[in-house]
PDB file of all heavy atoms in Angstrom:
ATOM      1  N   GLU A 198       0.878  -1.144   0.008  1.00 84.00           N
ATOM      2  CA  GLU A 198      -0.005   0.030   0.042  1.00 84.00           C
ATOM      3  C   GLU A 198       0.923   1.250  -0.009  1.00 84.00           C
ATOM      4  O   GLU A 198       1.814   1.351   0.924  1.00 84.00           O
ATOM      5  CB  GLU A 198      -0.864   0.010   1.255  1.00 84.00           C
ATOM      6  CG  GLU A 198      -1.923   1.113   1.153  1.00 84.00           C
ATOM      7  CD  GLU A 198      -2.868   1.024   2.419  1.00 84.00           C
ATOM      8  OE1 GLU A 198      -2.850   0.021   3.064  1.00 84.00           O
ATOM      9  OE2 GLU A 198      -3.646   2.049   2.619  1.00 84.00           O
ATOM     10  N   THR A 199       0.656   2.128  -0.861  1.00 83.00           N
ATOM     11  CA  THR A 199       1.341   3.377  -1.032  1.00 83.00           C
ATOM     12  C   THR A 199       0.492   4.529  -1.135  1.00 83.00           C
ATOM     13  O   THR A 199      -0.732   4.352  -1.360  1.00 83.00           O
ATOM     14  CB  THR A 199       2.284   3.401  -2.396  1.00 83.00           C
ATOM     15  OG1 THR A 199       1.545   3.289  -3.507  1.00 83.00           O
ATOM     16  CG2 THR A 199       3.169   2.200  -2.191  1.00 83.00           C
ATOM     17  N   GLU A 200       1.002   5.847  -0.897  1.00 85.00           N
ATOM     18  CA  GLU A 200       0.200   6.987  -1.072  1.00 85.00           C
ATOM     19  C   GLU A 200       0.851   7.862  -2.222  1.00 85.00           C
ATOM     20  O   GLU A 200       1.972   7.668  -2.561  1.00 85.00           O
ATOM     21  CB  GLU A 200       0.291   7.867   0.295  1.00 85.00           C
ATOM     22  CG  GLU A 200      -0.448   7.168   1.449  1.00 85.00           C
ATOM     23  CD  GLU A 200      -0.430   8.035   2.614  1.00 85.00           C
ATOM     24  OE1 GLU A 200       0.094   9.144   2.572  1.00 85.00           O
ATOM     25  OE2 GLU A 200      -0.990   7.597   3.648  1.00 85.00           O
ATOM     26  N   GLY A 201      -0.127   8.651  -2.903  1.00 89.00           N
ATOM     27  CA  GLY A 201       0.392   9.423  -3.995  1.00 89.00           C
ATOM     28  C   GLY A 201       0.170   8.690  -5.420  1.00 89.00           C
ATOM     29  O   GLY A 201      -0.549   7.698  -5.466  1.00 89.00           O
ATOM     30  N   ASN A 202       0.871   9.231  -6.288  1.00 92.00           N
ATOM     31  CA  ASN A 202       0.794   8.632  -7.728  1.00 92.00           C
ATOM     32  C   ASN A 202       1.533   7.240  -7.717  1.00 92.00           C
ATOM     33  O   ASN A 202       2.678   7.274  -7.416  1.00 92.00           O
ATOM     34  CB  ASN A 202       1.331   9.526  -8.680  1.00 92.00           C
ATOM     35  CG  ASN A 202       0.637  10.936  -8.669  1.00 92.00           C
ATOM     36  OD1 ASN A 202      -0.525  10.995  -9.296  1.00 92.00           O
ATOM     37  ND2 ASN A 202       1.160  12.022  -8.221  1.00 92.00           N
ATOM     38  N   ALA A 203       0.834   6.245  -8.273  1.00 92.00           N
ATOM     39  CA  ALA A 203       1.570   4.954  -8.231  1.00 92.00           C
ATOM     40  C   ALA A 203       1.687   4.529  -9.588  1.00 92.00           C
ATOM     41  O   ALA A 203       0.780   4.545 -10.414  1.00 92.00           O
ATOM     42  CB  ALA A 203       0.625   3.914  -7.468  1.00 92.00           C
ATOM     43  N   LEU A 204       3.001   4.277 -10.126  1.00 92.00           N
ATOM     44  CA  LEU A 204       3.237   3.923 -11.435  1.00 92.00           C
ATOM     45  C   LEU A 204       3.938   2.605 -11.523  1.00 92.00           C
ATOM     46  O   LEU A 204       5.160   2.355 -11.094  1.00 92.00           O
ATOM     47  CB  LEU A 204       4.207   4.991 -11.969  1.00 92.00           C
ATOM     48  CG  LEU A 204       3.799   6.445 -11.852  1.00 92.00           C
ATOM     49  CD1 LEU A 204       4.827   7.401 -12.238  1.00 92.00           C
ATOM     50  CD2 LEU A 204       2.408   6.731 -12.769  1.00 92.00           C
ATOM     51  N   PRO A 205       3.270   1.600 -12.089  1.00 93.00           N
ATOM     52  CA  PRO A 205       3.890   0.155 -12.269  1.00 93.00           C
ATOM     53  C   PRO A 205       5.110   0.521 -13.195  1.00 93.00           C
ATOM     54  O   PRO A 205       4.985   1.170 -14.208  1.00 93.00           O
ATOM     55  CB  PRO A 205       2.859  -0.584 -12.926  1.00 93.00           C
ATOM     56  CG  PRO A 205       1.592   0.141 -12.560  1.00 93.00           C
ATOM     57  CD  PRO A 205       1.986   1.497 -12.529  1.00 93.00           C
ATOM     58  N   CYS A 206       6.162  -0.206 -12.903  1.00 94.00           N
ATOM     59  CA  CYS A 206       7.358  -0.084 -13.763  1.00 94.00           C
ATOM     60  C   CYS A 206       8.264  -1.276 -13.632  1.00 94.00           C
ATOM     61  O   CYS A 206       8.085  -2.250 -12.734  1.00 94.00           O
ATOM     62  CB  CYS A 206       8.192   1.100 -13.356  1.00 94.00           C
ATOM     63  SG  CYS A 206       8.669   1.118 -11.593  1.00 94.00           S
ATOM     64  N   GLU A 207       9.320  -1.386 -14.476  1.00 96.00           N
ATOM     65  CA  GLU A 207      10.200  -2.417 -14.431  1.00 96.00           C
ATOM     66  C   GLU A 207      11.705  -1.835 -14.502  1.00 96.00           C
ATOM     67  O   GLU A 207      11.989  -0.819 -15.007  1.00 96.00           O
ATOM     68  CB  GLU A 207      10.153  -3.293 -15.708  1.00 96.00           C
ATOM     69  CG  GLU A 207      11.163  -4.434 -15.820  1.00 96.00           C
ATOM     70  CD  GLU A 207      11.018  -5.269 -17.056  1.00 96.00           C
ATOM     71  OE1 GLU A 207       9.753  -5.384 -17.445  1.00 96.00           O
ATOM     72  OE2 GLU A 207      11.962  -5.752 -17.601  1.00 96.00           O
ATOM     73  N   VAL A 208      12.499  -2.376 -13.490  1.00 97.00           N
ATOM     74  CA  VAL A 208      13.890  -1.904 -13.416  1.00 97.00           C
ATOM     75  C   VAL A 208      14.681  -2.453 -14.623  1.00 97.00           C
ATOM     76  O   VAL A 208      14.747  -3.468 -15.038  1.00 97.00           O
ATOM     77  CB  VAL A 208      14.498  -2.439 -12.131  1.00 97.00           C
ATOM     78  CG1 VAL A 208      15.997  -1.965 -11.988  1.00 97.00           C
ATOM     79  CG2 VAL A 208      13.726  -2.059 -10.920  1.00 97.00           C
ATOM     80  N   ARG A 209      15.306  -1.316 -15.218  1.00 96.00           N
ATOM     81  CA  ARG A 209      16.198  -1.581 -16.384  1.00 96.00           C
ATOM     82  C   ARG A 209      17.659  -1.599 -15.920  1.00 96.00           C
ATOM     83  O   ARG A 209      18.458  -2.384 -16.504  1.00 96.00           O
ATOM     84  CB  ARG A 209      16.073  -0.407 -17.420  1.00 96.00           C
ATOM     85  CG  ARG A 209      14.676  -0.394 -18.106  1.00 96.00           C
ATOM     86  CD  ARG A 209      14.445  -1.661 -18.781  1.00 96.00           C
ATOM     87  NE  ARG A 209      13.248  -1.722 -19.632  1.00 96.00           N
ATOM     88  CZ  ARG A 209      12.627  -2.789 -20.208  1.00 96.00           C
ATOM     89  NH1 ARG A 209      13.219  -3.997 -19.983  1.00 96.00           N
ATOM     90  NH2 ARG A 209      11.544  -2.635 -20.925  1.00 96.00           N
ATOM     91  N   ARG A 210      18.103  -0.752 -15.075  1.00 95.00           N
ATOM     92  CA  ARG A 210      19.369  -0.727 -14.679  1.00 95.00           C
ATOM     93  C   ARG A 210      19.703  -0.069 -13.296  1.00 95.00           C
ATOM     94  O   ARG A 210      18.843   0.876 -12.907  1.00 95.00           O
ATOM     95  CB  ARG A 210      20.251   0.031 -15.729  1.00 95.00           C
ATOM     96  CG  ARG A 210      21.791   0.085 -15.610  1.00 95.00           C
ATOM     97  CD  ARG A 210      22.521   0.790 -16.673  1.00 95.00           C
ATOM     98  NE  ARG A 210      23.809   0.840 -16.530  1.00 95.00           N
ATOM     99  CZ  ARG A 210      24.695   1.787 -17.134  1.00 95.00           C
ATOM    100  NH1 ARG A 210      24.124   2.648 -17.965  1.00 95.00           N
ATOM    101  NH2 ARG A 210      26.010   1.622 -16.898  1.00 95.00           N
ATOM    102  N   VAL A 211      20.561  -0.482 -12.537  1.00 95.00           N
ATOM    103  CA  VAL A 211      20.939   0.090 -11.216  1.00 95.00           C
ATOM    104  C   VAL A 211      22.456   0.590 -11.350  1.00 95.00           C
ATOM    105  O   VAL A 211      23.261  -0.281 -11.507  1.00 95.00           O
ATOM    106  CB  VAL A 211      20.716  -0.840 -10.116  1.00 95.00           C
ATOM    107  CG1 VAL A 211      21.055  -0.202  -8.771  1.00 95.00           C
ATOM    108  CG2 VAL A 211      19.224  -1.366 -10.126  1.00 95.00           C
ATOM    109  N   VAL A 212      22.627   1.926 -11.143  1.00 95.00           N
ATOM    110  CA  VAL A 212      24.073   2.494 -11.110  1.00 95.00           C
ATOM    111  C   VAL A 212      24.297   3.006  -9.571  1.00 95.00           C
ATOM    112  O   VAL A 212      23.604   3.761  -9.239  1.00 95.00           O
ATOM    113  CB  VAL A 212      24.075   3.632 -12.094  1.00 95.00           C
ATOM    114  CG1 VAL A 212      25.526   4.088 -12.090  1.00 95.00           C
ATOM    115  CG2 VAL A 212      23.794   3.103 -13.433  1.00 95.00           C
ATOM    116  N   THR A 213      25.296   2.257  -9.070  1.00 91.00           N
ATOM    117  CA  THR A 213      25.542   2.557  -7.645  1.00 91.00           C
ATOM    118  C   THR A 213      26.692   3.571  -7.669  1.00 91.00           C
ATOM    119  O   THR A 213      27.727   3.483  -8.277  1.00 91.00           O
ATOM    120  CB  THR A 213      25.916   1.262  -6.874  1.00 91.00           C
ATOM    121  OG1 THR A 213      24.866   0.352  -7.031  1.00 91.00           O
ATOM    122  CG2 THR A 213      26.257   1.583  -5.490  1.00 91.00           C
ATOM    123  N   GLN A 214      26.536   4.512  -6.695  1.00 84.00           N
ATOM    124  CA  GLN A 214      27.548   5.549  -6.419  1.00 84.00           C
ATOM    125  C   GLN A 214      28.017   5.379  -5.015  1.00 84.00           C
ATOM    126  O   GLN A 214      27.756   4.310  -4.410  1.00 84.00           O
ATOM    127  CB  GLN A 214      27.070   7.046  -6.581  1.00 84.00           C
ATOM    128  CG  GLN A 214      26.876   7.472  -8.035  1.00 84.00           C
ATOM    129  CD  GLN A 214      25.496   7.167  -8.485  1.00 84.00           C
ATOM    130  OE1 GLN A 214      24.556   7.322  -7.861  1.00 84.00           O
ATOM    131  NE2 GLN A 214      25.324   6.754  -9.808  1.00 84.00           N
ATOM    132  N   HIS A 215      28.707   6.376  -4.458  1.00 80.00           N
ATOM    133  CA  HIS A 215      29.151   6.145  -3.059  1.00 80.00           C
ATOM    134  C   HIS A 215      28.158   5.981  -2.048  1.00 80.00           C
ATOM    135  O   HIS A 215      28.108   4.963  -1.187  1.00 80.00           O
ATOM    136  CB  HIS A 215      30.144   7.204  -2.706  1.00 80.00           C
ATOM    137  CG  HIS A 215      30.771   7.267  -1.396  1.00 80.00           C
ATOM    138  ND1 HIS A 215      31.447   6.152  -0.881  1.00 80.00           N
ATOM    139  CD2 HIS A 215      30.669   8.107  -0.264  1.00 80.00           C
ATOM    140  CE1 HIS A 215      31.815   6.395   0.346  1.00 80.00           C
ATOM    141  NE2 HIS A 215      31.378   7.513   0.728  1.00 80.00           N
ATOM    142  N   THR A 216      27.237   6.938  -1.850  1.00 84.00           N
ATOM    143  CA  THR A 216      26.168   6.875  -0.883  1.00 84.00           C
ATOM    144  C   THR A 216      24.783   6.674  -1.425  1.00 84.00           C
ATOM    145  O   THR A 216      23.856   6.408  -0.718  1.00 84.00           O
ATOM    146  CB  THR A 216      26.181   8.196  -0.050  1.00 84.00           C
ATOM    147  OG1 THR A 216      25.944   9.379  -1.037  1.00 84.00           O
ATOM    148  CG2 THR A 216      27.526   8.362   0.619  1.00 84.00           C
ATOM    149  N   ASP A 217      24.555   6.820  -2.736  1.00 91.00           N
ATOM    150  CA  ASP A 217      23.228   6.529  -3.320  1.00 91.00           C
ATOM    151  C   ASP A 217      23.389   5.764  -4.615  1.00 91.00           C
ATOM    152  O   ASP A 217      24.495   5.417  -5.026  1.00 91.00           O
ATOM    153  CB  ASP A 217      22.488   7.845  -3.479  1.00 91.00           C
ATOM    154  CG  ASP A 217      23.259   8.817  -4.476  1.00 91.00           C
ATOM    155  OD1 ASP A 217      24.192   8.384  -5.128  1.00 91.00           O
ATOM    156  OD2 ASP A 217      22.911  10.044  -4.503  1.00 91.00           O
ATOM    157  N   ALA A 218      22.290   5.535  -5.162  1.00 94.00           N
ATOM    158  CA  ALA A 218      22.200   4.783  -6.389  1.00 94.00           C
ATOM    159  C   ALA A 218      21.101   5.342  -7.364  1.00 94.00           C
ATOM    160  O   ALA A 218      20.070   5.755  -6.889  1.00 94.00           O
ATOM    161  CB  ALA A 218      22.046   3.299  -6.173  1.00 94.00           C
ATOM    162  N   THR A 219      21.416   5.351  -8.663  1.00 95.00           N
ATOM    163  CA  THR A 219      20.451   5.755  -9.682  1.00 95.00           C
ATOM    164  C   THR A 219      19.730   4.480 -10.195  1.00 95.00           C
ATOM    165  O   THR A 219      20.430   3.527 -10.673  1.00 95.00           O
ATOM    166  CB  THR A 219      21.087   6.568 -10.726  1.00 95.00           C
ATOM    167  OG1 THR A 219      21.664   7.813 -10.257  1.00 95.00           O
ATOM    168  CG2 THR A 219      20.218   7.017 -11.836  1.00 95.00           C
ATOM    169  N   VAL A 220      18.374   4.441 -10.262  1.00 96.00           N
ATOM    170  CA  VAL A 220      17.576   3.330 -10.741  1.00 96.00           C
ATOM    171  C   VAL A 220      16.982   3.812 -12.035  1.00 96.00           C
ATOM    172  O   VAL A 220      16.177   4.703 -11.967  1.00 96.00           O
ATOM    173  CB  VAL A 220      16.692   2.801  -9.710  1.00 96.00           C
ATOM    174  CG1 VAL A 220      15.937   1.587 -10.238  1.00 96.00           C
ATOM    175  CG2 VAL A 220      17.355   2.513  -8.360  1.00 96.00           C
ATOM    176  N   LEU A 221      17.156   3.215 -13.149  1.00 97.00           N
ATOM    177  CA  LEU A 221      16.638   3.581 -14.378  1.00 97.00           C
ATOM    178  C   LEU A 221      15.353   2.574 -14.583  1.00 97.00           C
ATOM    179  O   LEU A 221      15.549   1.339 -14.373  1.00 97.00           O
ATOM    180  CB  LEU A 221      17.592   3.328 -15.535  1.00 97.00           C
ATOM    181  CG  LEU A 221      18.926   4.180 -15.512  1.00 97.00           C
ATOM    182  CD1 LEU A 221      19.750   3.963 -16.691  1.00 97.00           C
ATOM    183  CD2 LEU A 221      18.609   5.660 -15.301  1.00 97.00           C
ATOM    184  N   LEU A 222      14.174   3.184 -14.690  1.00 97.00           N
ATOM    185  CA  LEU A 222      12.911   2.484 -14.844  1.00 97.00           C
ATOM    186  C   LEU A 222      12.227   2.607 -16.083  1.00 97.00           C
ATOM    187  O   LEU A 222      12.498   3.661 -16.754  1.00 97.00           O
ATOM    188  CB  LEU A 222      11.990   2.951 -13.728  1.00 97.00           C
ATOM    189  CG  LEU A 222      12.557   3.033 -12.273  1.00 97.00           C
ATOM    190  CD1 LEU A 222      11.752   4.057 -11.407  1.00 97.00           C
ATOM    191  CD2 LEU A 222      12.521   1.725 -11.715  1.00 97.00           C
ATOM    192  N   SER A 223      11.514   1.644 -16.484  1.00 95.00           N
ATOM    193  CA  SER A 223      10.577   1.772 -17.644  1.00 95.00           C
ATOM    194  C   SER A 223       9.080   1.473 -17.053  1.00 95.00           C
ATOM    195  O   SER A 223       8.818   0.552 -16.610  1.00 95.00           O
ATOM    196  CB  SER A 223      10.876   0.605 -18.583  1.00 95.00           C
ATOM    197  OG  SER A 223       9.962   0.640 -19.801  1.00 95.00           O
ATOM    198  N   CYS A 224       8.408   2.721 -17.186  1.00 91.00           N
ATOM    199  CA  CYS A 224       7.082   2.685 -16.515  1.00 91.00           C
ATOM    200  C   CYS A 224       5.983   2.654 -17.582  1.00 91.00           C
ATOM    201  O   CYS A 224       5.989   3.338 -18.547  1.00 91.00           O
ATOM    202  CB  CYS A 224       6.988   3.974 -15.653  1.00 91.00           C
ATOM    203  SG  CYS A 224       7.912   4.037 -14.305  1.00 91.00           S
ATOM    204  N   ASP A 225       5.001   1.905 -17.234  1.00 83.00           N
ATOM    205  CA  ASP A 225       3.802   1.723 -18.211  1.00 83.00           C
ATOM    206  C   ASP A 225       3.163   3.014 -18.501  1.00 83.00           C
ATOM    207  O   ASP A 225       2.846   3.747 -17.645  1.00 83.00           O
ATOM    208  CB  ASP A 225       2.751   0.788 -17.522  1.00 83.00           C
ATOM    209  CG  ASP A 225       3.305  -0.630 -17.243  1.00 83.00           C
ATOM    210  OD1 ASP A 225       4.394  -0.973 -17.853  1.00 83.00           O
ATOM    211  OD2 ASP A 225       2.586  -1.381 -16.552  1.00 83.00           O
ATOM    212  N   GLY A 226       3.048   3.255 -19.750  1.00 80.00           N
ATOM    213  CA  GLY A 226       2.393   4.558 -20.327  1.00 80.00           C
ATOM    214  C   GLY A 226       3.193   5.764 -20.243  1.00 80.00           C
ATOM    215  O   GLY A 226       2.740   6.766 -20.684  1.00 80.00           O
ATOM    216  N   ILE A 227       4.405   5.653 -19.537  1.00 87.00           N
ATOM    217  CA  ILE A 227       5.220   6.879 -19.394  1.00 87.00           C
ATOM    218  C   ILE A 227       6.532   6.822 -20.010  1.00 87.00           C
ATOM    219  O   ILE A 227       7.095   7.698 -20.803  1.00 87.00           O
ATOM    220  CB  ILE A 227       5.402   7.205 -17.840  1.00 87.00           C
ATOM    221  CG1 ILE A 227       4.100   7.653 -17.316  1.00 87.00           C
ATOM    222  CG2 ILE A 227       6.525   8.217 -17.603  1.00 87.00           C
ATOM    223  CD1 ILE A 227       4.141   8.144 -15.892  1.00 87.00           C
ATOM    224  N   GLY A 228       7.061   5.616 -19.946  1.00 89.00           N
ATOM    225  CA  GLY A 228       8.431   5.406 -20.611  1.00 89.00           C
ATOM    226  C   GLY A 228       9.571   5.463 -19.494  1.00 89.00           C
ATOM    227  O   GLY A 228       9.355   4.940 -18.384  1.00 89.00           O
ATOM    228  N   ARG A 229      10.599   6.007 -19.774  1.00 93.00           N
ATOM    229  CA  ARG A 229      11.759   5.991 -18.896  1.00 93.00           C
ATOM    230  C   ARG A 229      11.536   7.040 -17.745  1.00 93.00           C
ATOM    231  O   ARG A 229      11.250   8.154 -17.928  1.00 93.00           O
ATOM    232  CB  ARG A 229      13.066   6.341 -19.666  1.00 93.00           C
ATOM    233  CG  ARG A 229      14.253   6.493 -18.727  1.00 93.00           C
ATOM    234  CD  ARG A 229      15.531   6.646 -19.560  1.00 93.00           C
ATOM    235  NE  ARG A 229      16.651   7.226 -18.766  1.00 93.00           N
ATOM    236  CZ  ARG A 229      17.867   7.026 -19.178  1.00 93.00           C
ATOM    237  NH1 ARG A 229      18.199   6.400 -20.232  1.00 93.00           N
ATOM    238  NH2 ARG A 229      18.823   7.606 -18.448  1.00 93.00           N
ATOM    239  N   LEU A 230      11.884   6.558 -16.608  1.00 95.00           N
ATOM    240  CA  LEU A 230      12.065   7.405 -15.373  1.00 95.00           C
ATOM    241  C   LEU A 230      13.294   7.155 -14.664  1.00 95.00           C
ATOM    242  O   LEU A 230      13.829   6.002 -14.692  1.00 95.00           O
ATOM    243  CB  LEU A 230      10.875   7.201 -14.432  1.00 95.00           C
ATOM    244  CG  LEU A 230       9.522   7.886 -14.725  1.00 95.00           C
ATOM    245  CD1 LEU A 230       8.408   7.476 -13.578  1.00 95.00           C
ATOM    246  CD2 LEU A 230       9.540   9.381 -14.947  1.00 95.00           C
ATOM    247  N   THR A 231      13.908   8.078 -13.910  1.00 96.00           N
ATOM    248  CA  THR A 231      15.041   7.978 -13.092  1.00 96.00           C
ATOM    249  C   THR A 231      14.749   8.131 -11.693  1.00 96.00           C
ATOM    250  O   THR A 231      14.167   9.112 -11.306  1.00 96.00           O
ATOM    251  CB  THR A 231      16.142   8.910 -13.559  1.00 96.00           C
ATOM    252  OG1 THR A 231      16.377   8.639 -14.981  1.00 96.00           O
ATOM    253  CG2 THR A 231      17.422   8.727 -12.696  1.00 96.00           C
ATOM    254  N   ALA A 232      15.080   7.261 -10.726  1.00 96.00           N
ATOM    255  CA  ALA A 232      14.877   7.409  -9.398  1.00 96.00           C
ATOM    256  C   ALA A 232      16.269   7.420  -8.678  1.00 96.00           C
ATOM    257  O   ALA A 232      17.195   6.714  -9.191  1.00 96.00           O
ATOM    258  CB  ALA A 232      13.948   6.268  -8.747  1.00 96.00           C
ATOM    259  N   ARG A 233      16.393   8.013  -7.590  1.00 95.00           N
ATOM    260  CA  ARG A 233      17.606   8.051  -6.780  1.00 95.00           C
ATOM    261  C   ARG A 233      17.222   7.541  -5.283  1.00 95.00           C
ATOM    262  O   ARG A 233      16.388   8.060  -4.757  1.00 95.00           O
ATOM    263  CB  ARG A 233      18.222   9.335  -6.755  1.00 95.00           C
ATOM    264  CG  ARG A 233      19.761   9.276  -6.408  1.00 95.00           C
ATOM    265  CD  ARG A 233      20.471  10.486  -7.000  1.00 95.00           C
ATOM    266  NE  ARG A 233      20.522  10.405  -8.403  1.00 95.00           N
ATOM    267  CZ  ARG A 233      20.289  11.396  -9.268  1.00 95.00           C
ATOM    268  NH1 ARG A 233      19.923  12.627  -8.680  1.00 95.00           N
ATOM    269  NH2 ARG A 233      20.339  11.354 -10.539  1.00 95.00           N
ATOM    270  N   VAL A 234      17.979   6.452  -4.937  1.00 94.00           N
ATOM    271  CA  VAL A 234      17.625   5.748  -3.612  1.00 94.00           C
ATOM    272  C   VAL A 234      18.994   5.767  -2.853  1.00 94.00           C
ATOM    273  O   VAL A 234      20.040   5.741  -3.434  1.00 94.00           O
ATOM    274  CB  VAL A 234      16.944   4.515  -3.840  1.00 94.00           C
ATOM    275  CG1 VAL A 234      15.634   4.582  -4.677  1.00 94.00           C
ATOM    276  CG2 VAL A 234      17.966   3.509  -4.559  1.00 94.00           C
ATOM    277  N   ASP A 235      18.803   5.478  -1.608  1.00 92.00           N
ATOM    278  CA  ASP A 235      19.902   5.105  -0.750  1.00 92.00           C
ATOM    279  C   ASP A 235      20.722   3.895  -1.209  1.00 92.00           C
ATOM    280  O   ASP A 235      20.028   2.920  -1.660  1.00 92.00           O
ATOM    281  CB  ASP A 235      19.502   4.873   0.698  1.00 92.00           C
ATOM    282  CG  ASP A 235      20.702   4.916   1.725  1.00 92.00           C
ATOM    283  OD1 ASP A 235      21.200   3.731   1.784  1.00 92.00           O
ATOM    284  OD2 ASP A 235      21.041   5.829   2.246  1.00 92.00           O
TER     285      ASP A 235
END
């Protein structure tokens, strides 16, 4: 269960840096999104 806009997606690639990571996503109906996580 989540709050806000919920977008189903598939992970394409994970690029790890020192303290965080960039996650490249392919989202249904939108295309590519980039997320940054711990």
Side-chain angles (χ1 to χ4, degrees):
E198 185 175 348
T199 60
E200 295 183 0
N202 297 288
L204 307 170
C206 58
E207 181 180 325
V208 177
R209 292 301 187 191
R210 189 180 177 197
V211 181
V212 181
T213 303
Q214 289 91 38
H215 177 56
T216 59
D217 59 14
T219 298
V220 183
L221 303 181
L222 306 164
S223 178
C224 294
D225 294 349
I227 288 182
R229 171 174 162 163
L230 284 182
T231 301
R233 198 152 295 134
V234 301
D235 187 276

